[in-house]
Amino acid sequence: MVLQQQSVVPLWGWAKAGEKISVVTSWDQQTVTAFTGTDGKWMVKVNTPVAGGPYTVQISGKKKILLEDILIGEVWICSGQSNMEMPLQGWPAYNNPINRSAEEIAAANYPQMRLFTVPRATSNEPLENCEGQWTACTPETAAVFSATGYFFGRELYQRLNIPVGLIFTSWGGTVAEAWMSNDYVSRMPEFTTSPGVYDALAFKKRQNEKFAEVQQAWTRKVGFVADQKIPLWALEPGIGTGWTATPVPSNWSETFLGDHLGFADYRLIFKVPASWVKKELVLELGPIDEMDMTWVNGVLVGSHLSPYDWATKRVYSIPAGTLTQGDNILAIRVANTSGIGGINGKPEMLKIRPEKSKTAFQPLAGNWQVRQAESFNLIEPMPECIDCGEPNLPTVLYNGMIAPIVPFGIRGAIWYQGESNRYDGELYKKIFSGMIANWRHDFNRGDFPFYFVQIAPYQYRDNFDTGLLREAQDYTMRTVPNTGMAVTMDIGELKNIHPANKQDVGKRLAYWALNKDYGIKDIAFTAPQYKSWSREGDQIRISFDLFGQQLKSDGQELTCFQIAGQDLKFGSAQARIDNGTVIVRADGITTPAAVRFAWGSTDQPNLFGTSGLPVGPFRTDDK
């Protein structure tokens, strides 16, 4: 492993209650002792020298443990959601590559970089331990490690030429409040279940009840409700147009439906033995991605009206007398809000059988009549419940994936998260700053450096804009001491929430550390940042903190600037660089009141500092 250099670092473990533990460090041959408590836990603190090694640590009680090949250097936590989790080898199965992945993996041979991965875990109570191991950075170990973390650590190692240790603890799609402790979450009224108290079970129950109401309202609004009038096409074989013979089961992506988000209708004409007609029957359909309403001869036999039921196997009872001799109609309306869609289990899952029989059944897999119905983008997207369950309940990831490594000696942390909190950018100001304060308190390293990535442009499928979330990230950088933000507005991918360019993300995070923490002042760590504005006739002048740079574009006219008059209705603007400032105006606006820059979710602006780093989004209004 790597221990933080020139520091006082804790070492801890477990033994029998009351046992004496001695720890000897080979770099100074000092012995430190401790006695275990009634819980069997012990902890000592040792002084570390300047970077170097390898060293050993001898731990002795009734048993002896020798820790070998210990390096002294710089230790950083790498945390967040999927963009931090994305490994150096990428996720090729999901069409999420990393640029030059094979080349980068082959070159990832840095024995003095050490990697530790905290396994995924959720818990309602803080865990004391986690299973994992330190490994040297090799092509094999780096391939499955965080790409952003690796590129950050590699930049430090190559610039500083000292050992670097990276502790990777991340979970895709998670909210920041899940990474906070109960103590800090309980200080936020938005999450408390009684004044000053956060109770996980009570919070989960409340969130699910609230979301059930929202979900029911949405399904009713778009006409996906189980008590709706039976559609005619579910009653008569010849009703409706646009039917296509389609194999079932199948994913929509494997059929003419493609990446359709919305409704699709399924219909199958089937016969059953005459002896089954008066019996109670069971219809088995396997999983349906995501929601369904299912009729047999016009009788609603079952439904699943939540998008979270995508993996649930459908098993519906058919009342005696529902079927007839001859043709029967099985009709299903399927709704898919994201992902692959479809009746997509295994063929043997689709069958109808007598209720009291497990062996006598009639298979239903084969060619069905299928047609595409309304698209959600013509209606409205399905609302999401972010805080309804693990891993997105407050505290559960702190308890499972941060608490076990507290208070390991670290230099700082990097963080790549925000997409899952973009529904409430104003609240994120409180959550994010609270989470940083939480970690700093618990690791007891003072205001250790905390550097994070501002979320990149992406074409989301809903109406929530990311301007407020990015503003909250910028606000954190400006108000929380010893923090920094890597802007990525120029390296996102509008149709891929996991951009392939993680090299520049890791470098931009490292630039903050190298300049601020390691004294390499000739490295630019940020582009110019918005400072103030003033009105000059029919135009607005934007001033910046330049950080020793000038402004530049990519050679084209500046983009992604908007301006508003006194009515605060924003529209496109012309903008030009003028001696370290930007002048913004628009035809028809004589008394401008406000400017916004790169405020939209999909904005990809072209304003940079001469360092080559992009200028981050901002606005001059507060509406």
Side-chain angles (χ1 to χ4, degrees):
M1 63 178 169
V2 178
L3 295 178
Q4 179 59 39
Q5 68 168 328
Q6 295 178 291
S7 181
V8 178
V9 301
L11 301 173
W12 69 90
W14 294 264
K16 290 184 178 180
E19 188 172 338
K20 181 180 179 180
I21 305 297
S22 298
V23 177
V24 181
T25 51
S26 69
W27 54 83
D28 59 7
Q29 295 302 316
Q30 295 296 306
T31 300
V32 186
T33 60
F35 288 88
T36 60
T38 56
D39 60 357
K41 189 171 183 177
W42 60 268
M43 178 180 290
V44 300
K45 294 182 179 180
V46 300
N47 296 305
T48 55
V50 296
Y55 298 106
T56 62
V57 172
Q58 175 74 60
I59 303 170
S60 303
K62 293 182 179 179
K63 297 179 180 179
K64 290 186 177 181
I65 297 173
L66 180 65
L67 304 181
E68 299 181 286
D69 193 19
I70 293 175
L71 301 179
I72 306 295
E74 293 296 298
V75 181
W76 288 79
I77 291 176
C78 311
S79 188
Q81 58 181 111
S82 57
N83 270 305
M84 182 65 80
E85 188 176 35
M86 189 177 187
L88 188 56
Q89 64 188 6
W91 290 313
Y94 300 98
N95 196 28
N96 286 165
I98 295 291
N99 287 348
R100 306 187 305 280
S101 178
E103 175 186 338
E104 296 284 16
I105 291 171
N109 189 19
Y110 298 100
Q112 290 208 322
M113 278 180 61
R114 303 291 168 85
L115 314 175
F116 185 93
T117 297
V118 178
R120 280 185 170 191
T122 63
S123 177
N124 287 333
E125 299 294 333
L127 301 182
E128 287 192 326
N129 204 2
C130 65
E131 294 190 8
Q133 64 181 31
W134 284 94
T135 62
C137 179
T138 66
E140 292 73 25
T141 60
V144 295
F145 195 78
S146 162
T148 296
Y150 168 77
F151 291 126
F152 168 83
R154 185 182 70 178
E155 192 72 14
L156 295 189
Y157 176 73
Q158 291 178 340
R159 296 272 189 164
L160 303 175
N161 196 29
I162 59 175
V164 172
L166 302 174
I167 301 173
F168 168 53
T169 177
S170 183
W171 191 320
T174 54
V175 292
E177 56 267 31
W179 297 92
M180 297 173 68
S181 71
N182 190 293
D183 180 24
Y184 278 77
V185 167
S186 295
R187 304 178 190 186
M188 302 184 64
E190 292 83 358
F191 302 115
T192 55
T193 46
S194 59
V197 176
Y198 168 74
D199 179 271
L201 295 178
F203 180 83
K204 181 178 180 179
K205 181 175 183 292
R206 185 182 74 187
Q207 291 300 102
N208 278 279
E209 288 173 349
K210 287 168 58 179
F211 180 64
E213 295 177 2
V214 172
Q215 181 175 288
Q216 289 170 12
W218 180 85
T219 55
R220 188 168 295 278
K221 186 173 182 179
V222 301
F224 201 75
V225 287
D227 59 356
Q228 71 173 6
K229 185 178 179 181
I230 301 168
L232 291 178
W233 60 266
L235 293 168
E236 297 289 341
I239 297 293
T241 60
W243 299 98
T244 301
T246 305
V248 175
S250 59
N251 296 327
W252 285 1
S253 60
E254 300 167 342
T255 72
F256 71 96
L257 293 166
D259 59 359
H260 173 57
L261 296 179
F263 302 112
D265 298 329
Y266 289 71
R267 190 165 63 191
L268 176 69
I269 308 301
F270 68 98
K271 292 178 172 30
V272 296
S275 60
W276 287 16
V277 170
K278 294 185 179 181
K279 292 182 178 181
E280 293 184 355
L281 303 174
V282 174
L283 174 65
E284 299 184 24
L285 299 170
I288 296 179
D289 190 342
E290 303 154 340
M291 301 177 280
D292 74 287
M293 288 185 288
T294 299
W295 299 268
V296 175
N297 291 342
V299 175
L300 184 70
V301 296
S303 64
H304 282 72
L305 305 179
S306 168
Y308 302 103
D309 291 340
W310 61 273
T312 302
K313 296 178 182 178
R314 273 45 166 186
V315 180
Y316 297 140
S317 296
I318 303 175
T322 302
L323 299 187
T324 63
Q325 280 190 292
D327 288 346
N328 294 270
I329 301 176
L330 170 60
I332 305 172
R333 169 154 275 206
V334 174
N336 180 42
T337 66
S338 65
I340 58 179
I343 303 172
N344 56 8
K346 296 180 179 179
E348 58 268 24
M349 293 179 174
L350 278 70
K351 57 191 173 185
I352 187 170
R353 60 176 174 81
E355 192 272 335
K356 295 183 179 180
S357 174
K358 297 289 187 181
T359 56
F361 63 86
Q362 181 166 308
L364 298 176
N367 279 334
W368 293 33
Q369 292 297 304
V370 181
R371 69 176 181 178
Q372 180 175 317
E374 299 93 334
S375 297
F376 285 141
N377 58 9
L378 300 179
I379 308 169
E380 62 181 64
M382 174 74 191
E384 293 186 52
C385 184
I386 299 300
D387 285 324
C388 281
E390 296 181 357
N392 277 333
L393 287 175
T395 76
V396 295
L397 295 181
Y398 177 90
N399 292 336
M401 299 179 68
I402 296 298
I405 60 175
V406 171
F408 196 84
I410 61 172
R411 180 60 179 261
I414 58 172
W415 176 257
Y416 200 162
Q417 188 272 345
E419 291 89 348
S420 290
N421 282 95
R422 65 191 177 82
Y423 304 97
D424 195 336
E426 197 62 31
L427 177 59
Y428 193 69
K429 292 179 181 179
K430 297 168 61 177
I431 295 173
F432 194 25
S433 60
M435 191 201 81
I436 295 170
N438 186 171
W439 289 20
R440 285 174 169 174
H441 172 272
D442 291 0
F443 277 95
N444 194 29
R445 313 295 294 181
D447 286 346
F448 62 74
F450 194 104
Y451 304 129
F452 52 91
V453 182
Q454 189 177 52
I455 62 174
Y458 178 67
Q459 187 173 342
Y460 294 96
R461 291 172 175 167
D462 54 40
N463 298 321
F464 289 94
D465 212 336
T466 52
L468 289 174
L469 190 283
R470 293 193 186 110
E471 182 178 66
Q473 294 176 311
D474 182 80
Y475 173 85
T476 301
M477 174 187 67
R478 293 172 184 269
T479 60
V480 178
N482 212 17
T483 59
M485 182 176 73
V487 177
T488 60
M489 298 299 291
D490 59 326
I491 54 176
E493 298 177 31
L494 296 186
K495 294 187 177 182
N496 186 357
I497 202 168
H498 304 118
N501 182 358
K502 293 294 189 283
Q503 288 89 338
D504 283 329
V505 178
K507 285 182 178 181
R508 290 176 188 183
L509 289 167
Y511 293 162
W512 279 91
L514 290 168
N515 184 293
K516 294 292 187 180
D517 305 307
Y518 301 112
I520 306 178
K521 297 303 181 182
D522 60 346
I523 293 179
F525 57 92
T526 182
Q529 297 174 7
Y530 166 72
K531 181 170 66 174
S532 62
W533 70 282
S534 60
R535 185 186 298 112
E536 298 178 359
D538 66 348
Q539 60 191 24
I540 285 180
R541 184 181 297 273
I542 305 295
S543 298
F544 296 84
D545 289 318
L546 294 173
F547 297 100
Q549 304 173 56
Q550 287 297 316
L551 296 168
K552 70 173 187 176
S553 74
D554 60 356
Q556 305 297 315
E557 183 178 341
L558 293 180
T559 61
C560 300
F561 278 92
Q562 292 184 310
I563 197 167
Q566 298 302 307
D567 58 1
L568 285 185
K569 293 181 179 179
F570 286 87
S572 297
Q574 300 96 49
R576 61 182 176 86
I577 297 169
D578 181 50
N579 191 31
T581 68
V582 171
I583 294 175
V584 187
R585 65 172 304 277
D587 294 339
I589 297 181
T590 57
T591 311
V595 165
R596 290 182 176 180
F597 170 67
W599 196 252
S601 295
T602 58
D603 282 355
Q604 296 178 299
N606 61 345
L607 180 61
F608 301 86
T610 47
S611 62
L613 297 173
V615 174
F618 62 84
R619 61 173 174 165
T620 66
D621 66 292
D622 58 0
K623 304 300 182 183

